[in-house]
Amino acid sequence: MPDTLISAVSDPVMDDHEDRALRPAMLRGWHRRCPNCGAGQMLRSYLKVRDTCPVCGEAFHHHRADDGPAYLTILIVGHLMAPLILYVFTAFRPDPLVLASVFSVGTVALSLYLLPRLKGVMVAIQWAKRMHGFGRSRAGD
């Protein structure tokens, strides 16, 4: 009888209902790594998500990040740059062309830095919460 209890606990179908750790998955996603193993690259190019992890084989083909990372990037960059540009303008009074040039470059650079990292975080959240097909067992895929 105890053997059947042990086998039921280690059954992969039973594991589908357990929570996955969200914070480590998000940190792995921020580093653009597989949220499952943390070793494989999640992205195969700048924003293209791999179909599977090259190390552990976790499937990523069913993610639904869509416009979420772009929206979050705009939200974060806007909330950082708007007060900063106001402060620089009122404190230092730079030439408008210099102000526009510096903040344009800064905005583009920060956006390019954040976009793939936020995409990794969004995919990792979906993986941790078992959304959009990430909850299926490997036998059921």
Side-chain angles (χ1 to χ4, degrees):
M1 185 74 172
D3 292 331
T4 58
L5 289 175
I6 292 172
S7 66
V9 170
S10 64
D11 185 22
V13 177
M14 296 291 286
D15 291 341
D16 283 349
H17 300 293
E18 292 179 11
D19 287 339
R20 294 173 176 160
L22 181 62
R23 186 179 178 127
M26 288 175 64
L27 287 173
R28 290 173 180 164
W30 178 262
H31 291 104
R32 296 161 298 170
R33 300 282 181 184
C34 171
N36 186 33
C37 67
Q41 289 285 331
M42 183 189 303
L43 304 176
R44 69 172 182 240
S45 63
Y46 181 66
L47 286 176
K48 193 72 168 171
V49 178
R50 294 180 186 271
D51 289 336
T52 59
C53 174
V55 176
C56 70
E58 181 71 36
F60 298 130
H61 62 86
H62 33 52
H63 79 88
R64 296 287 177 257
D66 299 331
D67 292 337
Y71 176 77
L72 288 175
T73 300
I74 292 168
L75 187 72
I76 292 169
V77 171
H79 278 83
L80 289 175
M81 289 300 195
L84 189 59
I85 197 169
L86 178 64
Y87 172 75
V88 169
F89 180 72
T90 56
F92 302 109
R93 295 287 180 181
D95 184 52
L97 188 58
V98 171
L99 186 71
S101 300
V102 169
F103 276 92
S104 295
V105 169
T107 300
V108 169
L110 186 59
S111 297
L112 291 174
Y113 176 78
L114 287 176
L115 194 56
R117 285 156 180 81
L118 290 174
K119 183 152 189 172
V121 168
M122 297 266 312
V123 173
I125 289 171
Q126 292 174 14
W127 175 83
K129 297 293 185 180
R130 300 180 188 274
M131 299 167 64
H132 309 297
F134 281 111
R136 286 192 229 134
S137 65
R138 294 192 188 209
D141 281 345

